[in-house]
Amino acid sequence: MSFNTSSRQLSKTDEAPEDVPSQEVTPLDAPAPGDTVQTSEAETPEVSAAEAKAPETEAPEAKAPEAEAPEAKAPEAPEAEAPEATTDPEAEAPEAKDPEPEAPEAEASQTETSQTEASETGTPETEGPEAEAPDADAPEGEVEAPEQAAAAPDPAVSDADTPTAPRPRRWRRVWGGWREKYPVAARVLAWTTTAVALAVVVVALLMPTQADKVRIAAFVRLPVEAIFGAALLIVLPRKPRIAVAAFAGLGLGALTVVNFLDIGFNEYLGRGFNVVLDWSLFSDAQGYLQDTFGKGGALGIAALAVTLVIAVLALTTLSVIRLGNLAARHTETATRTTLVLAIAWVTCAALGVQYAAGIPIASEHTMQALQFKAEQVQRTLQDEAEFAKIAKKDNFANTPPDQLLTGLRGKDMMITFIESYGRSAIEDPVMAPGVDATLTAENKKLTDAGFAAKSGWLTSATYGGSSWLGHSTFMSGLWISNQQRYRTVTAGERLTLPGAFKKTGAWDTVGVMPGVQKAWPEQNFYGIDKLYDSHKLGYKGPKFSWSTMPDQYALTAFERLVHSKKHDKPLMSTIILTSSHQPWAPIPELVPQDQVGDGSIYNAIEKAGKKPADIITDSTKSKQEYGKSIQYSVSSLINYLVKYGNKNTVLIFLGDHQPIARVSGNHASRDVPVSIVAKDPKVLDKIAAWNWTDGLQPKQDTPVWKMNAFRDRFLTAYGSTPAP
């Protein structure tokens, strides 16, 4: 027979001699042009690896046949081409018809190795010289069959028209060479990669949604989702298996991201992430980060968060694909293992076996999480419609102006919120000593000045943040626990406490809100005639982290701009103090009242204070600084009242929510203290039936109300007549 030495074959030999099957190397050993060589299928495999890898020495002889074009058209050519297509047609036939049945025997078959090598490199099963056999002996591999079929047409077909993929093969060749050179390192890398993939999947399936539940016992359970997933991937053919694994990996990555959000929301807001409503909070979080760490720091944190999300999605996807392919190559072992784990899971579930209380070995964590999120979406959508109906019902909506707040006519009213002033400040062993001492001292100041106070507890609709939900709940008499409810109520005409005072026509209503730094359309909803935000208070000093100005300055500006002015009517003032807002560093200090000025005096205080990074990751330091901030805010308010209050002044002050869990403690209540202070004893006599505690510090057994109950109780106590 004469060898077909077309330019296409020689081109491949020159480019990548290591990649050419042994049958194609034979022409390099051919005699001079014009000679013919008789060869058989039995002789072809005898070509040694050394001969296949020495094209340089034979190159002059290999190029000579190019001039012998007629030789390529000899009748013997089809016989010479036959070995390129297949060495043993009868042995290849079953594999060509049904390649998938060989998958279970992947460990002994070069067929599955060559088929999956491009996507599953580095596994223990493909290590060593044997793993490269499909590349060296194409006729025995299923992956080479398409390339061999492409080689059969007329030799005039150019390389550009040949459907070969030299790059993947070149990559495999380099990788295979590295494995041959460093077999131990390759084996370690393969096993390490598989172990990491398994760990990623297990952690993603078992990750708790609360930081205090993240412990080793939570990750050494049997996730039923992994057992079902393994069973499915074992039986699927290659392409569907990879598609299903990729989809499952992306879904698992998305769930992992949501789990991280749950942890963060539980830590800061005392609840999980709402996949319907909470996306709008990210803009507020970005603003908080910018105020705390600066613009550059906020952008860096945002970029890191996006990078982590992409990394999690990619890592879970690749991990599931790798484990699925590994199970498919070891079908028998994977099937036995899956069956054993399934039996173990059913047994543990039936017997209720647990590592510890609340940590069962048989886990359904992921399915339960998905079910909870689905139910949460359904509840959220239903709640929107139901709350809209509730918001329209108002016991005082139609009360005539002359029948509202008759017991407070002529009084200068102040409703003041102290940021993050929660029950933990009064009862936590780290914070309570300092806060309680301050409350006792400030109560004595009030008594000496002729004031008296009564205090109780209210359960806030929010926790750790989203202060506007607490403000709206207190003043509207509705339970505003999420952003959708807030948007619904503020878009309506619900009667608020400031709005009730305004409706009477007997008060001028003003708002002092240093935390408002942009347009605030809610002003009309609350019934505030004149708003003094952060831009209208004349402050020239530094920001204290998120807080735009110290509380002492905000109150001093209120006195200068509003309270000290002559008025035809008493004032109804809504004031929100922000110095106790997290991260509680730096904290302002009280200065002599006559030195407050335009706030420039605070420059030195701000520079000398602690930095957020000094305390933000330390729970004990955060508690200590939080307690100091509450002491500062309470002292600023009481000092103002003692100095500028009179016999007609009535002050209501309260916290809007508890501080974050790192400060208030895991599973802390949502209770906040509330106090009413007045000189006129008749004001406090009207609430005697409430059984509140005398002074600024409510007792542990003082009655606790939900915050939305205050509006109606207050209006009723001070002479308002219900008229739905």
Side-chain angles (χ1 to χ4, degrees), residues 265 268-269 271 278 281 284 419 460-472 480-481 483 581-582 656-657:
F265 272 67
Y268 282 87
L269 300 179
R271 61 175 178 82
D278 288 339
L281 297 181
D284 296 304
E419 173 67 36
S460 177
T462 186
Y463 174 97
S466 300
S467 302
W468 57 91
L469 302 182
H471 303 161
S472 57
I480 315 298
S481 56
Q483 194 65 16
H581 193 287
Q582 62 178 307
D656 46 22
H657 55 72

Side-chain angles (χ1 to χ4, degrees), residues 198-455:
L198 181 62
V200 167
V201 172
V202 170
V203 169
L205 288 172
L206 298 175
M207 178 182 292
T209 58
Q210 297 181 11
D212 61 308
K213 293 183 179 180
V214 178
R215 40 187 164 170
I216 295 178
F219 299 102
V220 289
R221 298 183 290 164
L222 294 177
V224 68
E225 303 84 5
I227 297 173
F228 277 110
L232 176 62
L233 295 177
I234 287 173
V235 301
L236 286 176
R238 181 175 181 272
K239 289 184 178 180
R241 182 182 72 244
I242 293 176
V244 170
F247 180 78
L250 281 173
L252 188 59
L255 183 62
T256 303
V257 172
V258 173
N259 282 343
F260 276 118
L261 291 173
D262 279 335
I263 291 175
F265 272 67
N266 279 311
E267 179 74 10
Y268 282 87
L269 300 179
R271 61 175 178 82
F273 176 72
N274 189 308
V275 296
V276 177
L277 301 176
D278 288 339
W279 300 105
S280 61
L281 297 181
F282 287 106
S283 61
D284 296 304
Q286 180 69 10
Y288 165 71
L289 291 173
Q290 185 168 327
D291 291 331
T292 303
F293 301 106
K295 188 174 182 179
L299 289 176
I301 293 173
L304 178 61
V306 172
T307 302
L308 289 176
V309 168
I310 296 174
V312 167
L313 294 174
L315 192 58
T316 54
T317 302
L318 294 175
S319 296
V320 175
I321 291 175
R322 180 176 182 83
L323 295 177
N325 290 334
L326 185 64
R329 289 201 307 275
H330 295 277
T331 305
E332 184 176 351
T333 302
T335 301
R336 291 175 180 173
T337 303
T338 301
L339 182 60
V340 170
L341 292 177
I343 295 173
W345 189 94
V346 172
T347 303
C348 292
L351 299 178
V353 182
Q354 297 183 349
Y355 283 114
I359 307 180
I361 293 179
S363 169
E364 300 175 89
H365 175 75
T366 299
M367 290 196 301
Q368 291 173 347
L370 289 174
Q371 181 180 359
F372 175 80
K373 291 300 181 184
E375 292 174 352
Q376 183 186 59
V377 170
Q378 184 178 10
R379 288 194 306 268
T380 300
L381 297 177
Q382 291 176 348
D383 179 75
E384 181 178 353
E386 293 173 359
F387 181 74
K389 297 177 182 178
I390 295 173
K392 292 179 180 179
K393 299 178 181 179
D394 189 344
N395 292 334
F396 294 92
N398 298 315
T399 301
D402 60 352
Q403 296 180 23
L404 281 171
L405 299 164
T406 56
L408 291 172
R409 298 298 173 99
K411 303 297 184 183
D412 273 332
M413 295 297 306
M414 295 175 60
I415 296 179
T416 304
F417 291 93
I418 295 180
E419 173 67 36
S420 302
Y421 180 29
R423 185 165 188 158
S424 298
I426 295 176
E427 295 182 349
D428 184 270
V430 175
M431 302 171 289
V435 173
D436 291 348
T438 297
L439 292 174
T440 300
E442 298 305 324
N443 189 68
K444 186 176 185 306
K445 287 183 184 179
L446 290 175
T447 303
D448 293 344
F451 288 92
K454 284 185 176 292
S455 301

Side-chain angles (χ1 to χ4, degrees), residues 74-133:
E76 292 82 3
E79 296 180 22
E81 291 289 308
E84 291 184 24
T86 175
T87 306
D88 189 0
E90 294 181 4
E92 290 291 310
E95 296 180 4
K97 290 180 181 178
D98 189 11
E100 288 303 323
E102 289 301 316
E105 300 299 325
E107 202 165 3
S109 171
Q110 296 174 352
T111 298
E112 184 66 3
T113 304
S114 62
Q115 187 181 42
T116 60
E117 192 172 12
S119 62
E120 302 163 17
T121 59
T123 61
E125 294 70 33
T126 59
E127 293 163 6
E130 295 79 6
E132 289 300 301

